[in-house]
Amino acid sequence: MNLPFVNFGPMHHEIKKEILDRFQAVYEKDWYINGTEVENFEKEFAAYCGAKYCIGCGNGLDSLYLILRGYEIQEGDEVIVPSNTYIATALAVSNTGARPIFVEPDIDTYMINPELIEEKITEKTKAIIAVHLYGQTADMDKVNQIAQKYRLKVIEDAAQAHGAKYKGVRAGNLGDAAGFSFYPSKNLGALGDAGAVVTNDPALAAKIKVLSNYGSDRKYHNIYQGVNSRLDEVQAGFLRIKLRHLDRWNRQRQAIAKKYLTLIDHDQIIKPSVRPDSDPIWHIFAVRTKKRQEFQQYLKENGIGTVIHYPIAMHLQGAYKHLNIQKGQLPIAEQIADEEISLPMWYGMSHEQVGYVIEKVNVWKPFAV
Protein backbone atom coordinates (compact mmCIF):
# COMPACT_ATOMS: atom_id res chain seq x y z
CA MET A 1 0.00 0.00 0.00
CA ASN A 2 1.20 3.52 -0.83
CA LEU A 3 -0.20 5.95 1.73
CA PRO A 4 0.90 9.61 1.55
CA PHE A 5 1.20 11.79 4.63
CA VAL A 6 -1.50 14.07 3.24
CA ASN A 7 -3.89 13.88 0.32
CA PHE A 8 -6.23 16.72 -0.67
CA GLY A 9 -7.85 14.65 -3.42
CA PRO A 10 -10.91 13.26 -1.59
CA MET A 11 -11.80 16.63 -0.11
CA HIS A 12 -11.31 18.64 -3.28
CA HIS A 13 -13.05 16.07 -5.48
CA GLU A 14 -16.23 16.47 -3.43
CA ILE A 15 -16.35 20.23 -3.86
CA LYS A 16 -14.77 20.63 -7.30
CA LYS A 17 -17.89 21.93 -9.02
CA GLU A 18 -18.62 24.39 -6.19
CA ILE A 19 -15.03 25.68 -6.31
CA LEU A 20 -15.02 26.13 -10.08
CA ASP A 21 -18.43 27.82 -10.03
CA ARG A 22 -17.27 30.21 -7.32
CA PHE A 23 -14.09 31.03 -9.23
CA GLN A 24 -16.13 31.80 -12.35
CA ALA A 25 -18.49 34.02 -10.35
CA VAL A 26 -15.59 36.03 -8.91
CA TYR A 27 -13.86 36.16 -12.28
CA GLU A 28 -16.91 37.60 -13.97
CA LYS A 29 -17.44 40.24 -11.28
CA ASP A 30 -14.07 41.88 -12.08
CA TRP A 31 -13.66 42.74 -8.38
CA TYR A 32 -10.79 40.93 -6.73
CA ILE A 33 -9.88 42.74 -3.49
CA ASN A 34 -12.13 43.71 -0.53
CA GLY A 35 -15.38 42.70 -2.15
CA THR A 36 -18.48 40.77 -1.13
CA GLU A 37 -16.74 37.38 -0.88
CA VAL A 38 -14.32 38.71 1.74
CA GLU A 39 -17.07 40.56 3.56
CA ASN A 40 -19.27 37.46 3.69
CA PHE A 41 -16.46 35.14 4.71
CA GLU A 42 -15.46 37.46 7.54
CA LYS A 43 -19.02 37.42 8.87
CA GLU A 44 -19.38 33.67 8.48
CA PHE A 45 -16.05 32.75 10.06
CA ALA A 46 -16.55 35.12 12.98
CA ALA A 47 -19.94 33.50 13.60
CA TYR A 48 -18.41 30.03 13.31
CA CYS A 49 -15.84 30.88 15.99
CA GLY A 50 -18.50 32.51 18.16
CA ALA A 51 -16.79 35.90 17.95
CA LYS A 52 -17.93 39.33 16.78
CA TYR A 53 -15.26 40.27 14.25
CA CYS A 54 -13.07 38.65 11.62
CA ILE A 55 -10.58 40.51 9.45
CA GLY A 56 -9.07 38.64 6.53
CA CYS A 57 -5.36 39.00 5.81
CA GLY A 58 -2.59 37.52 3.71
CA ASN A 59 -1.46 34.59 5.87
CA GLY A 60 -1.18 33.24 9.40
CA LEU A 61 2.09 35.01 10.23
CA ASP A 62 0.53 38.32 9.26
CA SER A 63 -2.52 37.61 11.42
CA LEU A 64 -0.36 37.38 14.56
CA TYR A 65 1.80 40.33 13.54
CA LEU A 66 -1.27 42.51 12.94
CA ILE A 67 -2.69 41.64 16.37
CA LEU A 68 0.60 42.57 18.03
CA ARG A 69 0.76 45.82 16.04
CA GLY A 70 -2.85 46.51 16.89
CA TYR A 71 -1.98 46.28 20.58
CA GLU A 72 1.04 48.55 20.02
CA ILE A 73 3.59 45.93 20.98
CA GLN A 74 6.97 47.17 19.83
CA GLU A 75 10.72 47.30 20.38
CA GLY A 76 11.59 46.92 24.05
CA ASP A 77 8.53 44.80 24.81
CA GLU A 78 8.45 41.08 25.54
CA VAL A 79 5.88 38.47 24.52
CA ILE A 80 5.58 34.99 26.03
CA VAL A 81 5.51 32.21 23.40
CA PRO A 82 5.79 28.42 23.65
CA SER A 83 9.25 27.02 23.02
CA ASN A 84 7.64 24.23 20.99
CA THR A 85 5.77 25.53 17.94
CA TYR A 86 6.29 26.55 14.34
CA ILE A 87 8.68 29.48 14.09
CA ALA A 88 6.01 31.82 12.67
CA THR A 89 4.73 32.39 16.22
CA ALA A 90 8.05 33.84 17.31
CA LEU A 91 8.64 35.65 14.01
CA ALA A 92 5.43 37.62 14.45
CA VAL A 93 6.82 38.94 17.73
CA SER A 94 10.26 39.67 16.27
CA ASN A 95 8.76 41.50 13.30
CA THR A 96 7.31 44.11 15.68
CA GLY A 97 10.74 44.66 17.23
CA ALA A 98 9.68 42.94 20.47
CA ARG A 99 11.44 39.93 22.00
CA PRO A 100 9.92 36.43 22.14
CA ILE A 101 10.32 34.81 25.55
CA PHE A 102 10.20 31.04 25.29
CA VAL A 103 8.26 28.98 27.83
CA GLU A 104 8.50 25.20 27.84
CA PRO A 105 5.53 22.96 26.94
CA ASP A 106 3.86 20.13 28.79
CA ILE A 107 5.65 17.04 27.49
CA ASP A 108 2.38 15.08 27.29
CA THR A 109 0.15 17.56 25.41
CA TYR A 110 2.90 19.63 23.71
CA MET A 111 1.07 22.87 24.69
CA ILE A 112 2.60 25.73 26.66
CA ASN A 113 2.84 24.81 30.35
CA PRO A 114 0.95 27.48 32.33
CA GLU A 115 2.86 26.56 35.49
CA LEU A 116 6.04 27.93 33.92
CA ILE A 117 4.70 31.21 32.57
CA GLU A 118 4.80 33.45 35.66
CA GLU A 119 8.53 33.00 36.23
CA LYS A 120 9.19 34.45 32.75
CA ILE A 121 7.04 37.59 33.21
CA THR A 122 8.87 40.91 33.68
CA GLU A 123 7.88 44.57 33.59
CA LYS A 124 8.49 44.39 29.82
CA THR A 125 5.97 41.59 29.20
CA LYS A 126 2.93 42.73 27.23
CA ALA A 127 1.22 39.55 26.00
CA ILE A 128 1.06 35.77 26.02
CA ILE A 129 0.64 33.85 22.78
CA ALA A 130 -1.03 30.51 23.47
CA VAL A 131 -0.59 28.12 20.54
CA HIS A 132 -3.28 25.52 19.93
CA LEU A 133 -0.68 23.15 18.56
CA TYR A 134 -1.56 20.23 16.27
CA GLY A 135 -5.27 21.02 16.64
CA GLN A 136 -5.64 20.72 20.43
CA THR A 137 -6.37 23.82 22.52
CA ALA A 138 -4.01 25.18 25.14
CA ASP A 139 -5.05 25.29 28.82
CA MET A 140 -6.80 28.62 28.39
CA ASP A 141 -8.33 29.11 31.84
CA LYS A 142 -4.91 29.05 33.45
CA VAL A 143 -3.38 31.23 30.74
CA ASN A 144 -6.15 33.80 31.07
CA GLN A 145 -5.90 33.84 34.85
CA ILE A 146 -2.19 34.65 34.67
CA ALA A 147 -2.82 37.31 32.02
CA GLN A 148 -5.48 38.99 34.13
CA LYS A 149 -3.20 38.99 37.17
CA TYR A 150 -0.47 40.83 35.25
CA ARG A 151 -2.75 42.79 32.87
CA LEU A 152 -1.43 41.08 29.76
CA LYS A 153 -3.11 40.46 26.42
CA VAL A 154 -3.86 36.85 25.46
CA ILE A 155 -3.40 36.01 21.80
CA GLU A 156 -4.40 32.63 20.40
CA ASP A 157 -2.26 31.18 17.66
CA ALA A 158 -5.07 29.12 16.16
CA ALA A 159 -3.33 28.36 12.86
CA GLN A 160 -3.84 24.61 13.40
CA ALA A 161 -7.11 24.69 15.33
CA HIS A 162 -10.03 25.53 13.02
CA GLY A 163 -13.05 24.24 14.91
CA ALA A 164 -11.20 22.95 17.97
CA LYS A 165 -12.96 23.52 21.29
CA TYR A 166 -11.96 24.22 24.88
CA LYS A 167 -14.74 23.58 27.40
CA GLY A 168 -17.23 23.81 24.55
CA VAL A 169 -15.93 27.14 23.20
CA ARG A 170 -14.24 27.25 19.82
CA ALA A 171 -10.69 28.41 19.24
CA GLY A 172 -10.80 32.04 18.19
CA ASN A 173 -13.03 33.00 21.11
CA LEU A 174 -10.75 32.06 24.02
CA GLY A 175 -8.57 35.15 24.42
CA ASP A 176 -8.37 38.80 23.39
CA ALA A 177 -7.71 37.93 19.74
CA ALA A 178 -6.76 34.97 17.59
CA GLY A 179 -4.68 34.53 14.47
CA PHE A 180 -5.64 31.90 11.90
CA SER A 181 -3.78 30.51 8.91
CA PHE A 182 -5.60 29.12 5.90
CA TYR A 183 -2.51 27.60 4.31
CA PRO A 184 -3.68 24.81 1.96
CA SER A 185 -2.77 21.97 4.34
CA LYS A 186 -4.85 23.35 7.24
CA ASN A 187 -8.17 21.77 8.18
CA LEU A 188 -9.73 24.89 6.66
CA GLY A 189 -7.31 25.63 3.86
CA ALA A 190 -7.37 28.04 0.96
CA LEU A 191 -5.91 27.20 -2.45
CA GLY A 192 -3.02 29.54 -1.73
CA ASP A 193 -1.93 31.73 1.18
CA ALA A 194 -4.58 33.33 3.37
CA GLY A 195 -5.20 34.20 7.02
CA ALA A 196 -7.51 36.04 9.39
CA VAL A 197 -7.75 37.74 12.77
CA VAL A 198 -10.74 36.94 14.98
CA THR A 199 -11.65 39.05 18.02
CA ASN A 200 -14.44 40.49 20.13
CA ASP A 201 -12.54 43.77 20.51
CA PRO A 202 -14.12 46.42 18.22
CA ALA A 203 -11.22 48.87 18.53
CA LEU A 204 -8.67 46.18 17.65
CA ALA A 205 -10.75 44.97 14.71
CA ALA A 206 -11.04 48.48 13.29
CA LYS A 207 -7.33 49.15 13.72
CA ILE A 208 -6.27 45.87 12.09
CA LYS A 209 -8.56 46.56 9.15
CA VAL A 210 -6.61 49.77 8.58
CA LEU A 211 -3.14 48.37 9.37
CA SER A 212 -3.59 45.55 6.86
CA ASN A 213 -4.47 48.02 4.10
CA TYR A 214 -1.30 50.15 4.08
CA GLY A 215 -2.48 51.92 7.23
CA SER A 216 -5.18 53.57 5.15
CA ASP A 217 -8.62 54.32 6.58
CA ARG A 218 -9.74 55.72 3.24
CA LYS A 219 -8.14 56.01 -0.16
CA TYR A 220 -4.85 57.93 -0.14
CA HIS A 221 -5.25 58.73 3.57
CA ASN A 222 -2.77 56.79 5.72
CA ILE A 223 -2.93 57.09 9.51
CA TYR A 224 -0.47 54.26 10.31
CA GLN A 225 2.67 52.82 8.79
CA GLY A 226 0.73 49.76 7.73
CA VAL A 227 1.33 46.76 5.52
CA ASN A 228 -0.34 45.16 2.52
CA SER A 229 -1.93 42.00 3.88
CA ARG A 230 -5.39 41.38 2.51
CA LEU A 231 -7.50 38.30 1.88
CA ASP A 232 -8.47 38.29 -1.80
CA GLU A 233 -11.90 37.58 -3.24
CA VAL A 234 -10.97 34.28 -4.87
CA GLN A 235 -9.54 32.71 -1.72
CA ALA A 236 -12.39 34.09 0.40
CA GLY A 237 -14.87 32.50 -1.99
CA PHE A 238 -13.11 29.14 -1.76
CA LEU A 239 -12.96 29.37 2.05
CA ARG A 240 -16.69 30.09 2.27
CA ILE A 241 -17.37 26.81 0.46
CA LYS A 242 -14.95 24.83 2.60
CA LEU A 243 -16.27 26.33 5.84
CA ARG A 244 -19.64 24.71 5.21
CA HIS A 245 -17.96 21.28 5.17
CA LEU A 246 -15.41 21.86 7.92
CA ASP A 247 -17.21 20.21 10.83
CA ARG A 248 -17.89 17.08 8.80
CA TRP A 249 -14.28 16.88 7.68
CA ASN A 250 -13.10 17.40 11.26
CA ARG A 251 -15.35 14.62 12.52
CA GLN A 252 -13.60 12.14 10.27
CA ARG A 253 -10.21 13.30 11.52
CA GLN A 254 -11.48 12.78 15.06
CA ALA A 255 -12.61 9.26 14.17
CA ILE A 256 -9.18 8.46 12.72
CA ALA A 257 -7.46 9.87 15.81
CA LYS A 258 -9.70 7.81 18.07
CA LYS A 259 -8.56 4.66 16.28
CA TYR A 260 -4.91 5.68 16.51
CA LEU A 261 -5.25 6.46 20.22
CA THR A 262 -7.14 3.27 20.97
CA LEU A 263 -5.41 0.73 18.76
CA ILE A 264 -1.78 1.82 18.43
CA ASP A 265 0.04 -0.20 21.05
CA HIS A 266 3.82 -0.14 20.98
CA ASP A 267 6.17 0.29 23.92
CA GLN A 268 8.45 2.62 21.96
CA ILE A 269 5.72 4.86 20.54
CA ILE A 270 4.36 7.63 22.77
CA LYS A 271 0.90 8.81 21.74
CA PRO A 272 -0.37 12.36 22.41
CA SER A 273 -2.37 13.04 25.55
CA VAL A 274 -5.73 14.80 25.33
CA ARG A 275 -7.01 16.83 28.26
CA PRO A 276 -10.69 16.18 29.12
CA ASP A 277 -11.51 19.89 28.61
CA SER A 278 -10.18 19.89 25.04
CA ASP A 279 -11.93 18.74 21.87
CA PRO A 280 -9.13 18.55 19.25
CA ILE A 281 -9.63 18.59 15.51
CA TRP A 282 -6.33 16.76 14.83
CA HIS A 283 -4.62 18.91 12.27
CA ILE A 284 -1.61 16.72 13.05
CA PHE A 285 -1.37 13.39 14.86
CA ALA A 286 2.02 13.62 16.52
CA VAL A 287 3.68 10.66 18.21
CA ARG A 288 7.14 10.39 19.71
CA THR A 289 9.88 7.80 19.65
CA LYS A 290 13.54 7.85 20.62
CA LYS A 291 14.29 5.91 17.44
CA ARG A 292 12.64 8.34 15.06
CA GLN A 293 14.99 8.00 12.11
CA GLU A 294 14.69 4.23 12.16
CA PHE A 295 10.90 4.40 12.61
CA GLN A 296 10.46 6.89 9.77
CA GLN A 297 12.57 4.78 7.42
CA TYR A 298 10.60 1.67 8.36
CA LEU A 299 7.29 3.39 7.60
CA LYS A 300 8.67 4.73 4.32
CA GLU A 301 9.70 1.21 3.29
CA ASN A 302 6.13 0.15 3.99
CA GLY A 303 4.67 2.94 1.85
CA ILE A 304 3.57 5.20 4.72
CA GLY A 305 4.42 8.90 4.46
CA THR A 306 5.35 10.90 7.55
CA VAL A 307 6.49 14.43 8.40
CA ILE A 308 8.51 15.75 11.34
CA HIS A 309 7.03 18.78 13.15
CA TYR A 310 9.50 20.46 13.85
CA PRO A 311 13.05 19.02 13.69
CA ILE A 312 14.94 22.05 15.05
CA ALA A 313 13.72 23.85 18.15
CA MET A 314 13.26 27.58 17.56
CA HIS A 315 15.94 28.71 20.00
CA LEU A 316 18.51 26.63 18.09
CA GLN A 317 17.62 28.13 14.71
CA GLY A 318 20.03 30.63 13.20
CA ALA A 319 17.22 33.19 13.23
CA TYR A 320 17.36 33.25 17.06
CA LYS A 321 21.07 32.81 17.59
CA HIS A 322 21.19 36.37 18.95
CA LEU A 323 19.08 35.33 21.95
CA ASN A 324 22.04 33.25 23.18
CA ILE A 325 19.89 30.36 24.39
CA GLN A 326 22.22 27.39 24.48
CA LYS A 327 21.41 23.79 23.66
CA GLY A 328 20.08 22.16 26.81
CA GLN A 329 18.45 25.28 28.25
CA LEU A 330 15.02 24.36 26.85
CA PRO A 331 15.23 20.58 27.11
CA ILE A 332 11.55 19.74 26.61
CA ALA A 333 11.34 21.64 23.32
CA GLU A 334 14.55 19.96 22.23
CA GLN A 335 13.26 16.52 23.22
CA ILE A 336 10.08 17.00 21.21
CA ALA A 337 12.09 18.27 18.24
CA ASP A 338 14.27 15.13 18.43
CA GLU A 339 11.45 12.61 18.89
CA GLU A 340 8.25 13.88 17.19
CA ILE A 341 6.94 12.25 14.01
CA SER A 342 3.50 12.81 12.48
CA LEU A 343 1.39 9.96 11.09
CA PRO A 344 -0.96 10.32 8.09
CA MET A 345 -4.08 12.30 8.98
CA TRP A 346 -6.45 13.56 6.30
CA TYR A 347 -10.09 13.59 5.32
CA GLY A 348 -10.88 10.68 3.05
CA MET A 349 -8.58 8.06 4.58
CA SER A 350 -10.32 4.70 4.30
CA HIS A 351 -10.78 2.20 7.13
CA GLU A 352 -8.27 -0.02 5.37
CA GLN A 353 -5.68 2.75 5.17
CA VAL A 354 -6.07 3.67 8.83
CA GLY A 355 -5.88 0.00 9.80
CA TYR A 356 -2.74 -0.42 7.70
CA VAL A 357 -0.97 2.40 9.54
CA ILE A 358 -1.96 0.93 12.91
CA GLU A 359 -0.86 -2.56 11.91
CA LYS A 360 2.54 -1.45 10.63
CA VAL A 361 3.19 0.71 13.68
CA ASN A 362 2.30 -2.11 16.06
CA VAL A 363 4.50 -4.74 14.36
CA TRP A 364 7.56 -2.49 14.10
CA LYS A 365 10.60 -4.22 15.56
CA PRO A 366 13.29 -1.63 16.33
CA PHE A 367 16.90 -2.63 16.04
CA ALA A 368 18.53 -3.37 19.37
CA VAL A 369 20.97 -0.68 20.50
Side-chain angles (χ1 to χ4, degrees):
M1 184 177 290
N2 185 23
L3 183 58
F5 173 71
V6 67
N7 180 6
F8 302 137
M11 174 176 60
H12 286 165
H13 177 74
E14 287 184 356
I15 60 173
K16 182 176 179 179
K17 186 178 186 306
E18 291 179 88
I19 290 288
L20 294 177
D21 287 349
R22 186 61 53 90
F23 173 79
Q24 184 174 359
V26 173
Y27 184 80
E28 291 178 353
K29 274 187 191 175
D30 287 337
W31 191 284
Y32 307 113
I33 299 289
N34 289 341
T36 56
E37 294 292 343
V38 170
E39 181 181 351
N40 287 328
F41 173 73
E42 289 175 339
K43 291 177 181 176
E44 291 160 6
F45 192 63
Y48 177 81
C49 294
K52 294 179 180 177
Y53 307 101
C54 172
I55 307 94
C57 62
N59 53 68
L61 171 58
D62 283 0
S63 71
L64 296 174
Y65 169 76
L66 288 164
I67 294 168
L68 294 165
R69 280 286 310 274
Y71 283 133
E72 299 184 1
I73 290 169
Q74 57 193 311
E75 187 173 356
D77 293 336
E78 295 177 350
V79 177
I80 301 289
V81 301
S83 59
N84 172 53
T85 183
Y86 184 55
I87 198 169
T89 312
L91 290 175
V93 177
S94 301
N95 288 348
T96 69
R99 182 185 181 98
I101 303 298
F102 298 124
V103 171
E104 288 274 72
D106 181 311
I107 189 62
D108 296 318
T109 66
Y110 311 135
M111 308 296 137
I112 191 169
N113 187 342
E115 306 301 326
L116 302 178
I117 291 176
E118 281 196 80
E119 65 189 50
K120 294 294 185 76
I121 293 174
T122 72
E123 69 281 355
K124 297 179 181 180
T125 308
K126 296 296 188 292
I128 302 169
I129 300 181
V131 180
H132 304 318
L133 195 65
Y134 306 149
Q136 181 172 188
T137 51
D139 192 345
M140 294 305 295
D141 280 356
K142 292 182 179 178
V143 171
N144 282 316
Q145 287 166 7
I146 294 166
Q148 289 167 10
K149 180 178 177 180
Y150 293 94
R151 297 183 180 180
L152 306 176
K153 295 297 183 182
V154 174
I155 300 166
E156 300 171 72
D157 182 339
Q160 300 181 2
H162 314 75
K165 293 180 181 178
Y166 174 82
K167 295 187 176 180
V169 179
R170 279 201 173 110
N173 197 22
L174 297 167
D176 292 294
F180 284 87
S181 167
F182 303 121
Y183 186 74
S185 64
K186 305 302 185 186
N187 291 35
L188 179 62
L191 302 185
D193 268 325
V197 173
V198 173
T199 185
N200 289 308
D201 183 339
L204 179 69
K207 187 171 183 179
I208 286 175
K209 193 77 171 176
V210 173
L211 281 169
S212 64
N213 188 37
Y214 300 98
S216 174
D217 60 342
R218 61 182 186 273
K219 195 168 185 178
Y220 304 133
H221 187 260
N222 302 76
I223 57 177
Y224 305 119
Q225 293 181 11
V227 296
N228 174 19
S229 181
R230 298 173 298 199
L231 176 62
D232 68 68
E233 285 286 281
V234 172
Q235 298 302 339
F238 295 161
L239 287 168
R240 291 184 67 201
I241 292 167
K242 286 189 165 188
L243 182 58
R244 296 200 298 267
H245 300 274
L246 178 59
D247 285 342
R248 178 171 59 87
W249 292 341
N250 280 343
R251 282 194 295 272
Q252 195 195 43
R253 287 176 173 265
Q254 291 167 333
I256 294 168
K258 184 177 181 179
K259 289 184 178 180
Y260 282 164
L261 290 168
T262 303
L263 299 176
I264 288 177
D265 184 11
H266 196 294
D267 61 4
Q268 296 203 40
I269 300 296
I270 300 171
K271 294 175 288 188
S273 294
V274 180
R275 291 193 324 275
D277 56 18
S278 181
D279 186 13
I281 46 78
W282 300 104
H283 172 60
I284 289 167
F285 192 90
V287 300
R288 297 189 353 258
T289 177
K290 294 187 181 299
K291 297 185 176 183
R292 182 175 66 191
Q293 185 174 357
E294 180 188 335
F295 182 56
Q296 186 173 43
Q297 181 60 32
Y298 161 80
L299 292 178
K300 181 180 179 181
E301 290 170 358
N302 284 275
I304 298 172
T306 58
V307 169
I308 295 169
H309 297 92
Y310 304 97
I312 303 174
M314 288 184 294
H315 64 284
L316 300 179
Q317 296 277 9
Y320 286 107
K321 185 177 181 180
H322 65 283
L323 296 180
N324 296 316
I325 303 173
Q326 303 303 311
K327 186 173 178 62
Q329 288 185 252
L330 295 171
I332 299 177
E334 292 172 22
Q335 181 182 352
I336 294 170
D338 290 341
E339 296 178 358
E340 191 278 343
I341 181 168
S342 302
L343 301 180
M345 171 61 72
W346 37 272
Y347 172 77
M349 284 182 71
S350 68
H351 295 298
E352 291 75 19
Q353 289 172 322
V354 176
Y356 181 74
V357 173
I358 294 167
E359 175 195 353
K360 291 303 177 183
V361 170
N362 286 344
V363 301
W364 174 46
K365 295 180 180 179
F367 297 119
V369 177

